[in-house]
Amino acid sequence: MATMKDVAKLAGVSVATVSAVINTDSGVNVSDKLTKRVELAIKELNYRPNRIARALSRKETNTLAHLVPSIDNNFFSQIAKSVEDMAFERGYSVYLCNTESKTDRVELYMKNLLENRVDGIITTLTWEITESDFIETINSEGIAVVGLAGGRIIDEIDTVTINDVDGGVIATKHLIDAGHMHIGFIGVEDSKTTEDRLIGYKKALEEFQIDINEDYIELGSEFSRGEGFRLTEKLIKRSPELTAIFVYNDVMGTGVIDKLNELKMSIPEDIAIIGFDDSVATYVRPNLTTMALPKEEMSKLAIDMLFDRIKGSKEAPQHKSVLPKLVKREST
């Protein structure tokens, strides 16, 4: 493998001159004649500069990191795609890190990202992030970090979160407006976003003076299609009078529809379903009514905040909240 010294020898210049040609932002002026000789030597030797060494000399690596719980969740995979596309437009690449809700994975990613000196990090504000020293450590190392989605707001950093409470209110009111009085709720235990959407669900029921029946609420252990299927079986068996269900997210909603189809229950004639996030709502039959999240808008807000910090902004942390939008489809 060719080295900078080999390039300098072939071009008949010093190593310092080669370095100045490669590092165009070094502030060292090199004549057009010498620059052309160096470039020809680089091409002939197929020389590839050491990215890390260059980055350390410039104190930047043109890389970001994006931490999500899991791209198995379509919402996070769609957010990750938007973040990567927007970073690419600015000449940055992105390390994608799946935490799987495990603190040991967070610790490993933190160590590697610090060693590789990424310029900035966007992270979902889930419990394994907020309950560890991840944000505190990253901040102390001078690396820009922004929170994107998740149910927690961290005062020390910029955040972009979802107004889950009001989203829950809108979803439940839609079912009430359709004439439903016996409305179930399916979500996940120990989830801040489930907690907030459930608050919205109860708030809407109270506003319309509908009794809150705890038997109508079923919380599981994971955000999956299979869990939606399993919880629906339990919920319908316990409360067969239900005429509508508000489901934590679309992925679980597909499992709810699977189970109702197996039970030969007609949607929405026998029972109506509404999801949340608009990630896979059109992949099932009937198409799922849902609360759409503006994923590209959220990603752009986070990317813009991050690059402001990378550029040196010292303004107080900003906390932006986005409101989900009701998208009516066949399931209600």
Side-chain angles (χ1 to χ4, degrees), residues 274-287:
I274 187 168
F276 206 108
D277 70 26
D278 201 25
S279 59
V280 295
T282 59
Y283 299 172
V284 289
R285 295 292 180 272
N287 283 180

Side-chain angles (χ1 to χ4, degrees), residues 58-111:
R58 301 195 320 267
K59 296 185 178 180
E60 61 181 40
T61 61
N62 285 88
T63 57
L64 307 176
H66 185 197
L67 277 73
V68 299
S70 174
I71 56 169
D72 282 343
N73 184 318
N74 292 69
F75 168 72
F76 290 115
S77 62
Q78 290 164 10
I79 284 282
K81 177 70 164 57
S82 292
V83 167
E84 183 178 13
D85 287 347
M86 292 175 189
F88 176 79
E89 290 173 0
R90 299 180 186 234
Y92 281 69
S93 57
V94 181
Y95 293 119
L96 179 60
C97 308
N98 288 269
T99 66
E100 303 294 345
S101 300
K102 296 177 180 177
T103 54
D104 59 338
R105 291 179 74 110
V106 173
E107 289 295 323
L108 177 62
Y109 289 139
M110 180 171 67
K111 176 176 177 290

Side-chain angles (χ1 to χ4, degrees), residues 11 22 26 35 48-49 67 75 106 117 160 183 196 199 203 229-230 251 264 266 272 277 291 302 310:
I22 293 171
S26 65
T35 297
R48 297 182 181 277
L67 277 73
F75 168 72
V106 173
R117 298 303 301 180
V160 180
I183 302 170
D196 288 345
I199 288 172
K203 190 175 178 180
F229 184 95
R230 187 182 70 82
V251 172
K264 307 299 183 186
S266 180
D277 70 26
M291 298 302 301
I310 289 172

Side-chain angles (χ1 to χ4, degrees), residues 32-319:
D32 292 343
K33 181 179 179 181
L34 289 183
T35 297
K36 187 172 183 180
R37 279 164 53 184
V38 171
E39 289 174 343
L40 287 172
I42 288 172
K43 184 175 181 181
E44 183 175 335
L45 294 172
N46 194 29
Y47 171 66
R48 297 182 181 277
N50 185 308
R51 183 181 62 81
I52 297 297
R54 289 179 60 203
L56 290 174
S57 69
R58 301 195 320 267
K59 296 185 178 180
E60 61 181 40
T61 61
N62 285 88
T63 57
L64 307 176
H66 185 197
L67 277 73
V68 299
S70 174
I71 56 169
D72 282 343
N73 184 318
N74 292 69
F75 168 72
F76 290 115
S77 62
Q78 290 164 10
I79 284 282
K81 177 70 164 57
S82 292
V83 167
E84 183 178 13
D85 287 347
M86 292 175 189
F88 176 79
E89 290 173 0
R90 299 180 186 234
Y92 281 69
S93 57
V94 181
Y95 293 119
L96 179 60
C97 308
N98 288 269
T99 66
E100 303 294 345
S101 300
K102 296 177 180 177
T103 54
D104 59 338
R105 291 179 74 110
V106 173
E107 289 295 323
L108 177 62
Y109 289 139
M110 180 171 67
K111 176 176 177 290
N112 289 341
L113 294 176
L114 288 173
E115 287 180 355
N116 285 281
R117 298 303 301 180
V118 294
D119 295 329
I121 296 172
I122 293 176
T123 181
T124 309
L125 298 172
T126 40
W127 78 270
E128 71 277 10
I129 296 294
T130 59
E131 295 303 313
S132 70
D133 62 351
F134 179 83
I135 290 173
E136 181 183 354
T137 302
I138 295 298
N139 265 339
S140 69
E141 290 290 330
I143 296 175
V145 57
V146 171
L148 173 59
R152 298 155 179 84
I153 294 176
I154 307 300
D155 292 336
E156 294 77 17
I157 64 170
D158 297 317
T159 61
V160 180
T161 54
I162 301 156
N163 189 334
D164 286 301
V165 173
D166 285 353
V169 170
I170 295 168
T172 308
K173 280 187 175 181
H174 171 64
L175 297 174
I176 295 170
D177 288 342
H180 297 285
M181 300 287 287
H182 303 290
I183 302 170
F185 179 91
I186 284 177
V188 175
E189 295 175 322
D190 301 321
S191 159
K192 184 63 168 61
T193 46
T194 290
E195 179 184 322
D196 288 345
R197 292 171 197 179
L198 185 55
I199 288 172
Y201 160 84
K202 291 181 177 181
K203 190 175 178 180
L205 294 179
E206 289 171 348
E207 183 178 330
F208 283 83
Q209 298 182 330
I210 299 173
D211 290 339
I212 296 171
N213 188 337
E214 295 296 331
D215 284 344
Y216 289 179
I217 300 169
E218 195 65 57
L219 303 181
S221 60
E222 58 183 46
F223 306 95
S224 68
R225 184 171 190 158
E227 192 74 339
F229 184 95
R230 187 182 70 82
L231 297 177
T232 303
E233 183 172 29
K234 291 178 64 177
L235 190 58
I236 295 298
K237 186 175 182 179
R238 185 174 64 244
S239 304
E241 70 275 14
L242 289 175
T243 62
I245 303 175
F246 171 19
V247 190
Y248 169 82
N249 69 6
D250 287 3
V251 172
M252 296 184 81
T254 62
V256 172
I257 290 175
D258 289 342
K259 185 59 188 180
L260 294 175
N261 286 335
E262 182 184 274
L263 293 172
K264 307 299 183 186
M265 297 181 72
S266 180
I267 306 169
E269 291 79 11
D270 295 331
I271 189 165
I273 308 297
I274 187 168
F276 206 108
D277 70 26
D278 201 25
S279 59
V280 295
T282 59
Y283 299 172
V284 289
R285 295 292 180 272
N287 283 180
L288 187 63
T289 294
T290 190
M291 298 302 301
L293 301 178
K295 304 176 191 71
E296 288 195 13
E297 177 190 343
M298 293 170 65
S299 300
K300 186 176 188 310
L301 285 170
I303 281 284
D304 287 347
M305 286 176 165
L306 187 66
F307 277 96
D308 283 346
R309 295 300 176 187
I310 289 172
K311 292 174 184 176
S313 172
K314 301 298 183 184
E315 290 186 9
Q318 301 180 64
H319 304 294

